[in-house]
Amino acid sequence: QVQLVESGGGLVPPGESLRLSCAASGLAFSSGYTTYWYRQAPGKEREWVAHIRRAGGDGYYTDSVKGRFTISRDDTRNMIHLQMNNLKPEDTAVYYCRADKLREGTYWGQGTQVTVSS
């Protein structure tokens, strides 16, 4: 049974940082999974934030987070991370991780809340 579990969310004032983590079980990222972070703000659709195809590979980001967020991946621990710096109120959302492999399926975590407010 595949499970993705996010952690690291919380309430922080603008300008601060958070590091989100996603731990996977029941699959091996190293077998060819692309891994993603998405977010969903209240009243809005879920949006793609970043993705990375392999450990040590390049990260790809939506424009609004470029230069502030960094995605990384540790295949030895089956984990992905999202380092979020200089957080803004508009970053407030539930953040989800996703793992995707062709012909294997798509898996989502349950989400972790990030609130940026003074």
Side-chain angles (χ1 to χ4, degrees):
Q1 180 180 354
V2 175
Q3 193 172 19
L4 301 179
V5 179
E6 301 95 337
S7 61
L11 169 63
V12 294
E16 293 296 312
S17 299
L18 280 174
R19 185 175 187 243
L20 304 184
S21 297
C22 172
S25 58
L27 57 77
F29 286 159
S30 61
S31 70
Y33 281 86
T34 299
T35 49
Y36 306 77
W37 286 99
Y38 280 72
R39 66 186 179 186
Q40 187 166 19
K44 296 187 177 181
E45 293 189 353
R46 191 172 298 188
E47 66 168 349
W48 165 75
V49 175
H51 74 269
I52 187 168
R53 292 192 175 96
R54 58 179 178 83
D58 292 333
Y60 300 88
Y61 305 91
T62 193
D63 286 347
S64 62
V65 308
K66 282 180 182 177
R68 300 189 297 122
F69 289 13
T70 303
I71 188 171
S72 62
R73 176 166 144 171
D74 182 350
D75 285 0
T76 65
R77 298 185 176 185
N78 242 14
M79 295 187 73
I80 59 170
H81 305 284
L82 186 68
Q83 177 67 41
M84 306 186 296
N85 297 329
N86 189 23
L87 283 160
K88 303 177 180 181
E90 51 265 40
D91 295 317
T92 294
V94 178
Y95 284 71
Y96 300 89
C97 62
R98 169 189 162 190
D100 185 274
K101 181 180 177 183
L102 188 65
R103 292 187 291 273
E104 291 284 336
T106 297
Y107 304 98
W108 291 88
Q110 84 291 345
T112 186
Q113 176 70 47
V114 171
T115 303
V116 185
S117 174
S118 54

mmCIF file with all atom_site columns, all heavy atoms in Angstrom, residues 9-29:
data_model
loop_
_atom_site.group_PDB
_atom_site.id
_atom_site.type_symbol
_atom_site.label_atom_id
_atom_site.label_alt_id
_atom_site.label_comp_id
_atom_site.label_asym_id
_atom_site.label_entity_id
_atom_site.label_seq_id
_atom_site.pdbx_PDB_ins_code
_atom_site.Cartn_x
_atom_site.Cartn_y
_atom_site.Cartn_z
_atom_site.occupancy
_atom_site.B_iso_or_equiv
_atom_site.pdbx_formal_charge
_atom_site.auth_seq_id
_atom_site.auth_comp_id
_atom_site.auth_asym_id
_atom_site.auth_atom_id
_atom_site.pdbx_PDB_model_num
ATOM 1   N N   . GLY A 1 9  ? 4.356  21.803 8.058  1.00 0.00 ? 9  GLY A N   1
ATOM 2   C CA  . GLY A 1 9  ? 3.557  23.008 7.917  1.00 0.00 ? 9  GLY A CA  1
ATOM 3   C C   . GLY A 1 9  ? 3.411  23.737 9.244  1.00 0.00 ? 9  GLY A C   1
ATOM 4   O O   . GLY A 1 9  ? 3.799  23.232 10.301 1.00 0.00 ? 9  GLY A O   1
ATOM 5   N N   . GLY A 1 10 ? 2.850  24.934 9.175  1.00 0.00 ? 10 GLY A N   1
ATOM 6   C CA  . GLY A 1 10 ? 2.637  25.707 10.399 1.00 0.00 ? 10 GLY A CA  1
ATOM 7   C C   . GLY A 1 10 ? 2.251  27.125 10.101 1.00 0.00 ? 10 GLY A C   1
ATOM 8   O O   . GLY A 1 10 ? 1.975  27.487 8.948  1.00 0.00 ? 10 GLY A O   1
ATOM 9   N N   . LEU A 1 11 ? 2.241  27.937 11.159 1.00 0.00 ? 11 LEU A N   1
ATOM 10  C CA  . LEU A 1 11 ? 1.903  29.362 11.072 1.00 0.00 ? 11 LEU A CA  1
ATOM 11  C C   . LEU A 1 11 ? 3.182  30.164 11.263 1.00 0.00 ? 11 LEU A C   1
ATOM 12  O O   . LEU A 1 11 ? 3.864  30.011 12.295 1.00 0.00 ? 11 LEU A O   1
ATOM 13  C CB  . LEU A 1 11 ? 0.885  29.708 12.147 1.00 0.00 ? 11 LEU A CB  1
ATOM 14  C CG  . LEU A 1 11 ? 0.595  31.191 12.379 1.00 0.00 ? 11 LEU A CG  1
ATOM 15  C CD1 . LEU A 1 11 ? -0.008 31.829 11.136 1.00 0.00 ? 11 LEU A CD1 1
ATOM 16  C CD2 . LEU A 1 11 ? -0.326 31.378 13.584 1.00 0.00 ? 11 LEU A CD2 1
ATOM 17  N N   . VAL A 1 12 ? 3.515  30.998 10.286 1.00 0.00 ? 12 VAL A N   1
ATOM 18  C CA  . VAL A 1 12 ? 4.708  31.831 10.380 1.00 0.00 ? 12 VAL A CA  1
ATOM 19  C C   . VAL A 1 12 ? 4.387  33.234 9.902  1.00 0.00 ? 12 VAL A C   1
ATOM 20  O O   . VAL A 1 12 ? 3.476  33.423 9.079  1.00 0.00 ? 12 VAL A O   1
ATOM 21  C CB  . VAL A 1 12 ? 5.879  31.264 9.537  1.00 0.00 ? 12 VAL A CB  1
ATOM 22  C CG1 . VAL A 1 12 ? 6.351  29.927 10.090 1.00 0.00 ? 12 VAL A CG1 1
ATOM 23  C CG2 . VAL A 1 12 ? 5.502  31.162 8.081  1.00 0.00 ? 12 VAL A CG2 1
ATOM 24  N N   . PRO A 1 13 ? 5.121  34.233 10.397 1.00 0.00 ? 13 PRO A N   1
ATOM 25  C CA  . PRO A 1 13 ? 4.924  35.596 9.896  1.00 0.00 ? 13 PRO A CA  1
ATOM 26  C C   . PRO A 1 13 ? 5.581  35.763 8.529  1.00 0.00 ? 13 PRO A C   1
ATOM 27  O O   . PRO A 1 13 ? 6.470  34.991 8.153  1.00 0.00 ? 13 PRO A O   1
ATOM 28  C CB  . PRO A 1 13 ? 5.612  36.461 10.942 1.00 0.00 ? 13 PRO A CB  1
ATOM 29  C CG  . PRO A 1 13 ? 6.624  35.571 11.570 1.00 0.00 ? 13 PRO A CG  1
ATOM 30  C CD  . PRO A 1 13 ? 6.074  34.188 11.519 1.00 0.00 ? 13 PRO A CD  1
ATOM 31  N N   . PRO A 1 14 ? 5.164  36.777 7.779  1.00 0.00 ? 14 PRO A N   1
ATOM 32  C CA  . PRO A 1 14 ? 5.785  37.033 6.471  1.00 0.00 ? 14 PRO A CA  1
ATOM 33  C C   . PRO A 1 14 ? 7.298  37.219 6.600  1.00 0.00 ? 14 PRO A C   1
ATOM 34  O O   . PRO A 1 14 ? 7.788  37.792 7.568  1.00 0.00 ? 14 PRO A O   1
ATOM 35  C CB  . PRO A 1 14 ? 5.104  38.324 6.008  1.00 0.00 ? 14 PRO A CB  1
ATOM 36  C CG  . PRO A 1 14 ? 3.787  38.315 6.696  1.00 0.00 ? 14 PRO A CG  1
ATOM 37  C CD  . PRO A 1 14 ? 4.031  37.676 8.026  1.00 0.00 ? 14 PRO A CD  1
ATOM 38  N N   . GLY A 1 15 ? 8.013  36.697 5.605  1.00 0.00 ? 15 GLY A N   1
ATOM 39  C CA  . GLY A 1 15 ? 9.462  36.791 5.591  1.00 0.00 ? 15 GLY A CA  1
ATOM 40  C C   . GLY A 1 15 ? 10.186 35.616 6.218  1.00 0.00 ? 15 GLY A C   1
ATOM 41  O O   . GLY A 1 15 ? 11.403 35.492 6.041  1.00 0.00 ? 15 GLY A O   1
ATOM 42  N N   . GLU A 1 16 ? 9.461  34.790 6.932  1.00 0.00 ? 16 GLU A N   1
ATOM 43  C CA  . GLU A 1 16 ? 10.079 33.642 7.576  1.00 0.00 ? 16 GLU A CA  1
ATOM 44  C C   . GLU A 1 16 ? 10.160 32.448 6.621  1.00 0.00 ? 16 GLU A C   1
ATOM 45  O O   . GLU A 1 16 ? 9.738  32.526 5.456  1.00 0.00 ? 16 GLU A O   1
ATOM 46  C CB  . GLU A 1 16 ? 9.302  33.264 8.835  1.00 0.00 ? 16 GLU A CB  1
ATOM 47  C CG  . GLU A 1 16 ? 9.393  34.309 9.935  1.00 0.00 ? 16 GLU A CG  1
ATOM 48  C CD  . GLU A 1 16 ? 10.813 34.482 10.450 1.00 0.00 ? 16 GLU A CD  1
ATOM 49  O OE1 . GLU A 1 16 ? 11.468 33.468 10.746 1.00 0.00 ? 16 GLU A OE1 1
ATOM 50  O OE2 . GLU A 1 16 ? 11.261 35.649 10.536 1.00 0.00 ? 16 GLU A OE2 1
ATOM 51  N N   . SER A 1 17 ? 10.690 31.341 7.155  1.00 0.00 ? 17 SER A N   1
ATOM 52  C CA  . SER A 1 17 ? 10.913 30.139 6.341  1.00 0.00 ? 17 SER A CA  1
ATOM 53  C C   . SER A 1 17 ? 10.244 28.919 6.974  1.00 0.00 ? 17 SER A C   1
ATOM 54  O O   . SER A 1 17 ? 10.024 28.878 8.188  1.00 0.00 ? 17 SER A O   1
ATOM 55  C CB  . SER A 1 17 ? 12.414 29.852 6.223  1.00 0.00 ? 17 SER A CB  1
ATOM 56  O OG  . SER A 1 17 ? 13.091 30.914 5.592  1.00 0.00 ? 17 SER A OG  1
ATOM 57  N N   . LEU A 1 18 ? 9.934  27.972 6.129  1.00 0.00 ? 18 LEU A N   1
ATOM 58  C CA  . LEU A 1 18 ? 9.465  26.654 6.549  1.00 0.00 ? 18 LEU A CA  1
ATOM 59  C C   . LEU A 1 18 ? 10.075 25.610 5.620  1.00 0.00 ? 18 LEU A C   1
ATOM 60  O O   . LEU A 1 18 ? 10.354 25.910 4.454  1.00 0.00 ? 18 LEU A O   1
ATOM 61  C CB  . LEU A 1 18 ? 7.940  26.539 6.472  1.00 0.00 ? 18 LEU A CB  1
ATOM 62  C CG  . LEU A 1 18 ? 7.093  27.122 7.596  1.00 0.00 ? 18 LEU A CG  1
ATOM 63  C CD1 . LEU A 1 18 ? 5.617  27.018 7.230  1.00 0.00 ? 18 LEU A CD1 1
ATOM 64  C CD2 . LEU A 1 18 ? 7.379  26.449 8.920  1.00 0.00 ? 18 LEU A CD2 1
ATOM 65  N N   . ARG A 1 19 ? 10.238 24.414 6.141  1.00 0.00 ? 19 ARG A N   1
ATOM 66  C CA  . ARG A 1 19 ? 10.706 23.299 5.322  1.00 0.00 ? 19 ARG A CA  1
ATOM 67  C C   . ARG A 1 19 ? 9.685  22.180 5.416  1.00 0.00 ? 19 ARG A C   1
ATOM 68  O O   . ARG A 1 19 ? 9.459  21.625 6.493  1.00 0.00 ? 19 ARG A O   1
ATOM 69  C CB  . ARG A 1 19 ? 12.067 22.807 5.791  1.00 0.00 ? 19 ARG A CB  1
ATOM 70  C CG  . ARG A 1 19 ? 12.665 21.719 4.902  1.00 0.00 ? 19 ARG A CG  1
ATOM 71  C CD  . ARG A 1 19 ? 14.058 21.378 5.376  1.00 0.00 ? 19 ARG A CD  1
ATOM 72  N NE  . ARG A 1 19 ? 14.763 20.469 4.475  1.00 0.00 ? 19 ARG A NE  1
ATOM 73  C CZ  . ARG A 1 19 ? 15.159 19.255 4.798  1.00 0.00 ? 19 ARG A CZ  1
ATOM 74  N NH1 . ARG A 1 19 ? 14.898 18.784 6.009  1.00 0.00 ? 19 ARG A NH1 1
ATOM 75  N NH2 . ARG A 1 19 ? 15.820 18.509 3.934  1.00 0.00 ? 19 ARG A NH2 1
ATOM 76  N N   . LEU A 1 20 ? 9.073  21.890 4.291  1.00 0.00 ? 20 LEU A N   1
ATOM 77  C CA  . LEU A 1 20 ? 8.109  20.804 4.229  1.00 0.00 ? 20 LEU A CA  1
ATOM 78  C C   . LEU A 1 20 ? 8.817  19.518 3.834  1.00 0.00 ? 20 LEU A C   1
ATOM 79  O O   . LEU A 1 20 ? 9.786  19.525 3.079  1.00 0.00 ? 20 LEU A O   1
ATOM 80  C CB  . LEU A 1 20 ? 7.020  21.106 3.209  1.00 0.00 ? 20 LEU A CB  1
ATOM 81  C CG  . LEU A 1 20 ? 6.245  22.411 3.380  1.00 0.00 ? 20 LEU A CG  1
ATOM 82  C CD1 . LEU A 1 20 ? 5.136  22.503 2.329  1.00 0.00 ? 20 LEU A CD1 1
ATOM 83  C CD2 . LEU A 1 20 ? 5.677  22.536 4.774  1.00 0.00 ? 20 LEU A CD2 1
ATOM 84  N N   . SER A 1 21 ? 8.302  18.421 4.356  1.00 0.00 ? 21 SER A N   1
ATOM 85  C CA  . SER A 1 21 ? 8.827  17.106 4.002  1.00 0.00 ? 21 SER A CA  1
ATOM 86  C C   . SER A 1 21 ? 7.675  16.193 3.600  1.00 0.00 ? 21 SER A C   1
ATOM 87  O O   . SER A 1 21 ? 6.543  16.372 4.058  1.00 0.00 ? 21 SER A O   1
ATOM 88  C CB  . SER A 1 21 ? 9.583  16.486 5.178  1.00 0.00 ? 21 SER A CB  1
ATOM 89  O OG  . SER A 1 21 ? 10.705 17.263 5.523  1.00 0.00 ? 21 SER A OG  1
ATOM 90  N N   . CYS A 1 22 ? 8.003  15.229 2.764  1.00 0.00 ? 22 CYS A N   1
ATOM 91  C CA  . CYS A 1 22 ? 7.036  14.215 2.347  1.00 0.00 ? 22 CYS A CA  1
ATOM 92  C C   . CYS A 1 22 ? 7.744  12.875 2.371  1.00 0.00 ? 22 CYS A C   1
ATOM 93  O O   . CYS A 1 22 ? 8.740  12.684 1.666  1.00 0.00 ? 22 CYS A O   1
ATOM 94  C CB  . CYS A 1 22 ? 6.512  14.529 0.951  1.00 0.00 ? 22 CYS A CB  1
ATOM 95  S SG  . CYS A 1 22 ? 5.490  13.234 0.231  1.00 0.00 ? 22 CYS A SG  1
ATOM 96  N N   . ALA A 1 23 ? 7.235  11.976 3.192  1.00 0.00 ? 23 ALA A N   1
ATOM 97  C CA  . ALA A 1 23 ? 7.821  10.648 3.315  1.00 0.00 ? 23 ALA A CA  1
ATOM 98  C C   . ALA A 1 23 ? 6.928  9.630  2.627  1.00 0.00 ? 23 ALA A C   1
ATOM 99  O O   . ALA A 1 23 ? 5.711  9.620  2.840  1.00 0.00 ? 23 ALA A O   1
ATOM 100 C CB  . ALA A 1 23 ? 7.979  10.291 4.784  1.00 0.00 ? 23 ALA A CB  1
ATOM 101 N N   . ALA A 1 24 ? 7.534  8.799  1.804  1.00 0.00 ? 24 ALA A N   1
ATOM 102 C CA  . ALA A 1 24 ? 6.781  7.805  1.037  1.00 0.00 ? 24 ALA A CA  1
ATOM 103 C C   . ALA A 1 24 ? 7.067  6.398  1.529  1.00 0.00 ? 24 ALA A C   1
ATOM 104 O O   . ALA A 1 24 ? 8.190  6.083  1.918  1.00 0.00 ? 24 ALA A O   1
ATOM 105 C CB  . ALA A 1 24 ? 7.125  7.914  -0.437 1.00 0.00 ? 24 ALA A CB  1
ATOM 106 N N   . SER A 1 25 ? 6.044  5.580  1.497  1.00 0.00 ? 25 SER A N   1
ATOM 107 C CA  . SER A 1 25 ? 6.191  4.156  1.765  1.00 0.00 ? 25 SER A CA  1
ATOM 108 C C   . SER A 1 25 ? 5.393  3.388  0.723  1.00 0.00 ? 25 SER A C   1
ATOM 109 O O   . SER A 1 25 ? 4.435  3.901  0.151  1.00 0.00 ? 25 SER A O   1
ATOM 110 C CB  . SER A 1 25 ? 5.712  3.813  3.180  1.00 0.00 ? 25 SER A CB  1
ATOM 111 O OG  . SER A 1 25 ? 4.365  4.190  3.358  1.00 0.00 ? 25 SER A OG  1
ATOM 112 N N   . GLY A 1 26 ? 5.829  2.160  0.455  1.00 0.00 ? 26 GLY A N   1
ATOM 113 C CA  . GLY A 1 26 ? 5.123  1.334  -0.530 1.00 0.00 ? 26 GLY A CA  1
ATOM 114 C C   . GLY A 1 26 ? 5.561  1.547  -1.959 1.00 0.00 ? 26 GLY A C   1
ATOM 115 O O   . GLY A 1 26 ? 5.009  0.932  -2.869 1.00 0.00 ? 26 GLY A O   1
ATOM 116 N N   . LEU A 1 27 ? 6.505  2.442  -2.169 1.00 0.00 ? 27 LEU A N   1
ATOM 117 C CA  . LEU A 1 27 ? 7.079  2.656  -3.490 1.00 0.00 ? 27 LEU A CA  1
ATOM 118 C C   . LEU A 1 27 ? 8.499  3.162  -3.313 1.00 0.00 ? 27 LEU A C   1
ATOM 119 O O   . LEU A 1 27 ? 8.898  3.551  -2.210 1.00 0.00 ? 27 LEU A O   1
ATOM 120 C CB  . LEU A 1 27 ? 6.257  3.647  -4.321 1.00 0.00 ? 27 LEU A CB  1
ATOM 121 C CG  . LEU A 1 27 ? 6.007  5.052  -3.780 1.00 0.00 ? 27 LEU A CG  1
ATOM 122 C CD1 . LEU A 1 27 ? 7.221  5.965  -3.933 1.00 0.00 ? 27 LEU A CD1 1
ATOM 123 C CD2 . LEU A 1 27 ? 4.821  5.691  -4.487 1.00 0.00 ? 27 LEU A CD2 1
ATOM 124 N N   . ALA A 1 28 ? 9.255  3.144  -4.402 1.00 0.00 ? 28 ALA A N   1
ATOM 125 C CA  . ALA A 1 28 ? 10.632 3.627  -4.376 1.00 0.00 ? 28 ALA A CA  1
ATOM 126 C C   . ALA A 1 28 ? 10.770 4.751  -5.382 1.00 0.00 ? 28 ALA A C   1
ATOM 127 O O   . ALA A 1 28 ? 10.620 4.537  -6.595 1.00 0.00 ? 28 ALA A O   1
ATOM 128 C CB  . ALA A 1 28 ? 11.603 2.504  -4.694 1.00 0.00 ? 28 ALA A CB  1
ATOM 129 N N   . PHE A 1 29 ? 11.046 5.956  -4.888 1.00 0.00 ? 29 PHE A N   1
ATOM 130 C CA  . PHE A 1 29 ? 11.216 7.089  -5.790 1.00 0.00 ? 29 PHE A CA  1
ATOM 131 C C   . PHE A 1 29 ? 12.264 6.805  -6.858 1.00 0.00 ? 29 PHE A C   1
ATOM 132 O O   . PHE A 1 29 ? 12.146 7.236  -8.002 1.00 0.00 ? 29 PHE A O   1
ATOM 133 C CB  . PHE A 1 29 ? 11.628 8.332  -5.000 1.00 0.00 ? 29 PHE A CB  1
ATOM 134 C CG  . PHE A 1 29 ? 10.532 8.965  -4.207 1.00 0.00 ? 29 PHE A CG  1
ATOM 135 C CD1 . PHE A 1 29 ? 10.839 9.791  -3.140 1.00 0.00 ? 29 PHE A CD1 1
ATOM 136 C CD2 . PHE A 1 29 ? 9.193  8.768  -4.505 1.00 0.00 ? 29 PHE A CD2 1
ATOM 137 C CE1 . PHE A 1 29 ? 9.837  10.409 -2.384 1.00 0.00 ? 29 PHE A CE1 1
ATOM 138 C CE2 . PHE A 1 29 ? 8.180  9.368  -3.763 1.00 0.00 ? 29 PHE A CE2 1
ATOM 139 C CZ  . PHE A 1 29 ? 8.517  10.183 -2.698 1.00 0.00 ? 29 PHE A CZ  1
#
